[in-house]
Amino acid sequence: MSEGTFQAPVGTHDVLGPESRQWEGVIATFAQWAYRYSFSLVISPLFEDVGVFHRGIGEASDVAKKEMYVFEDRGGRRLALRPEGTASVVRAFVQHHPTTPWRAWYVTPAFRYERPQAGRYRQHHQLGVEVLGSDDPAIDVEVIALAERFYRAIGLRRFRLHVNSMGHAECRSAYVEVLKSYLARHVDELCDEHQKVWLANPLRVLDCKKAACVTVTVAGPQLPDYLCDACRDHFIAVQRGLTAIGIDFQLAPRLVRGFDYYTRTTFEFASDALDAAQNALGGGGRYDQLAEQLGGEPASGIGFGSGIERLLLARHAEGVDEALLKRSVDVFVVDTTGDDVATPLVDELRLRGFAVSRSYDQRSMKAQMKLADRSGARLALLVGPQERDRGEVTIRDLRSADFEQTQASVARDAVIDAVTQRLLK
RNA sequence: GUGGGCGUAGCUCAGUUGGUUAGAGCGCCAGGUUGUGGUCCUGGAGGCCGCGGGUUCGACCCCCGUCGCUCACCCCA
């Protein structure tokens, strides 16, 4: 780029109209579904003490180790931009002690320092929910259901739900021991990378997509077989609940998610319309230790998060009709009087609830009509010297071919009624 | 962090073996209509060919560097 101009930093992007219309649609739809499920909006800071994320998502995770935006402020505080939504929300829960079960939804940017790629950014945007203070499996079912209903509401169809249970700390560590000794016997069959690092985090091997690792882990011990009675009952209850409300799912015994805080239920929605590298629409799970890790009283929690850019990619890949989301107004006011009669007319229409656009800079009638057409307006209101002198406004239906029949003049005082009538037809 | 591809008008892209005034389509503006859009016709505006250096009589084109975009690995949203 030439000197003296700026552009958005690497891995970030501006979203302008008309594309931003889709963002409005996705976020509004999510807000509506969150409302139906009785969630309330939580807004928390974009940056936190770095410890919130270190303790929250686990020191060992890639995100905490090398992807966080960490900085020191003028007061010497060590802060980090949020790399994901959950840890901040749980920190807010611990700080304010709201009555439980606490149900919160959010929409937020998230920051990760990594090389950008298709559907992957340094600043991306997530929306999601969290429920804290109850381990009732009915809540697991609701959180998963909300995600599923929401995806359908924005037009997605080609996705699958994978569900697993990681157990609580004790049954999981028992399983990890079994897994370790199993892997120890099959080290040389793993992929190159995991031959070296399997011991540090054996669960990650389950997540490996390489054929070698898949072959080994499929044949090995499966996490759900090692659950304690309580965790198994919980997992069965979640499955029953999903079935009861008609949500299809597949058991995925090797599904382990990236952050260390997950316990018991974990789930992921995978798009069949996207390449495997970025097919995760969203996911989440239960985190029954996280509140404690952040210094609060023990409180179980569960949530899910979804990347907005990912959802839009998937929607595009599925060919969801984006034309429906094209921005358009109800009325376009054309004023050729030179006296600016448009300003009060437009104001009056807007006060009555219509979406209204107009032109500026004294353009010709022809130019103004072109703008009216492109605005997508249903009606054009024309005021020229003639209408002004007679105290009238000409109403024209821009969507009808034969304007001779539909174009008519009405008294200025009767404009609102006439517009209302035409738009209701 | 590692590797591949690509940077020419607001957008999508052409640009001959290196040759003098850099093109198209779309979009934008104006006119064809003395007050009427969507089609059509005509005209116009808009480019330090990402940036810096080098080779050459001459560089959008070749070489080096740099920045940016993009794709893949890793990991994830």
Side-chain angles (χ1 to χ4, degrees):
Chain A
M1 278 296 102
S2 63
E3 283 179 50
T5 68
F6 294 106
Q7 58 182 284
V10 176
T12 69
H13 56 137
D14 301 309
V15 183
L16 314 177
E19 199 209 325
S20 56
R21 183 78 189 108
Q22 301 214 44
W23 285 66
E24 290 180 48
V26 165
I27 294 167
T29 303
F30 188 67
Q32 185 187 38
W33 279 88
Y35 171 72
R36 290 182 186 178
Y37 277 74
S38 186
F39 283 87
S40 54
L41 177 65
V42 57
I43 294 172
S44 52
L46 279 184
F47 54 88
E48 298 270 359
D49 187 293
V50 72
V52 170
F53 303 118
H54 272 152
R55 276 199 264 162
I57 66 186
E59 311 260 4
S61 72
D62 275 5
V63 169
K65 268 192 309 198
K66 53 186 185 187
E67 294 181 359
M68 281 215 289
Y69 277 89
V70 179
F71 63 98
E72 191 170 290
D73 74 3
R74 289 167 192 261
R77 287 170 273 256
R78 293 265 295 162
L79 302 168
L81 297 182
R82 64 161 54 145
E84 54 99 50
T86 301
S88 289
V89 175
V90 175
R91 191 231 82 225
F93 171 80
V94 168
Q95 181 176 338
H96 300 289
H97 305 95
T99 54
T100 58
W102 186 54
R103 300 160 73 90
W105 75 274
Y106 63 84
V107 52
T108 178
F111 304 88
R112 296 183 197 170
Y113 191 87
E114 58 183 339
R115 286 287 285 271
Q117 197 182 140
R120 206 175 300 183
Y121 305 93
R122 288 188 176 175
Q123 176 177 341
H124 74 281
H125 300 81
Q126 293 190 359
L127 41 77
V129 301
E130 310 292 344
V131 182
L132 282 123
S134 167
D135 65 354
D136 189 329
I139 293 177
D140 302 42
V141 173
E142 279 197 349
V143 166
I144 293 171
L146 167 56
E148 203 269 358
R149 305 311 191 207
F150 162 62
Y151 293 151
R152 289 193 177 278
I154 60 171
L156 298 178
R157 294 293 179 274
R158 296 173 52 202
F159 59 83
R160 279 171 301 172
L161 167 61
H162 301 285
V163 181
N164 193 24
S165 174
M166 300 179 70
H168 73 304
E170 281 160 39
C171 37
R172 184 164 59 183
S173 61
Y175 169 72
V176 168
E177 288 312 310
V178 175
L179 180 63
K180 270 187 190 166
S181 62
Y182 172 78
L183 291 177
R185 280 178 274 130
H186 296 84
V187 180
D188 43 0
E189 299 162 43
L190 298 175
C191 75
D192 293 347
E193 191 202 335
H194 283 118
Q195 289 196 13
K196 293 174 206 149
V197 300
W198 66 276
L199 192 58
N201 194 349
L203 290 175
R204 290 246 65 84
V205 182
L206 298 178
D207 209 24
C208 182
K209 293 183 176 90
K210 300 242 166 62
C213 284
V214 171
T215 308
V216 173
T217 55
V218 164
Q222 302 298 305
L223 213 168
D225 297 332
Y226 292 82
L227 298 179
C228 66
D229 288 348
C231 286
R232 186 181 305 115
D233 289 348
H234 185 274
F235 191 31
I236 289 169
V238 171
Q239 295 177 51
R240 260 198 216 119
L242 290 173
T243 303
I245 57 174
I247 291 182
D248 291 329
F249 62 91
Q250 298 171 1
L251 292 178
R254 289 165 30 255
L255 171 65
V256 294
R257 293 182 47 80
F259 301 140
D260 293 351
Y261 53 59
Y262 286 113
T263 56
R264 290 193 166 172
T265 310
T266 56
F267 61 93
E268 216 164 70
F269 287 88
S271 170
D272 288 328
L274 296 176
D275 293 336
Q278 62 259 357
N279 71 351
L281 294 176
R286 189 160 271 292
Y287 42 85
D288 291 338
Q289 257 89 56
L290 184 50
E292 229 177 320
Q293 277 162 22
L294 290 176
E297 295 294 306
S300 43
I302 180 167
F304 90 91
S306 215
I308 295 177
E309 288 86 351
R310 244 354 125 65
L311 295 174
L312 294 177
L313 266 186
R315 191 150 82 160
H316 183 75
E318 286 199 32
V320 175
D321 191 2
E322 290 162 14
L324 294 173
L325 291 166
K326 207 177 152 193
R327 158 145 336 261
S328 63
V329 296
D330 300 316
V331 179
F332 193 100
V333 172
V334 172
D335 173 7
T336 57
T337 62
D339 295 342
D340 195 20
V341 302
T343 296
L345 180 54
V346 161
D347 182 59
E348 196 177 325
L349 288 160
R350 287 175 176 155
L351 284 170
R352 294 299 289 256
F354 298 110
V356 186
S357 188
R358 55 168 289 192
S359 83
Y360 305 92
D361 303 322
Q362 303 284 350
R363 306 253 247 137
S364 70
M365 164 136 301
K366 178 174 175 167
Q368 293 194 45
M369 284 305 294
K370 259 184 121 158
L371 292 175
D373 184 52
R374 277 175 310 202
S375 74
R378 171 84 177 283
L379 299 177
L381 297 189
L382 286 69
V383 189
Q386 209 175 81
E387 284 86 355
R388 179 196 52 200
D389 296 344
R390 294 184 190 162
E392 292 181 339
V393 171
T394 297
I395 303 184
R396 172 159 176 170
D397 187 334
L398 292 171
R399 309 221 176 139
S400 84
D402 52 339
F403 71 89
E404 306 289 349
Q405 295 189 351
T406 57
Q407 179 164 316
S409 292
V410 299
R412 171 62 231 260
D413 296 342
V415 167
I416 297 289
D417 287 342
V419 167
T420 305
Q421 226 171 42
R422 293 253 199 162
L423 287 176
L424 287 178
K425 266 200 297 202

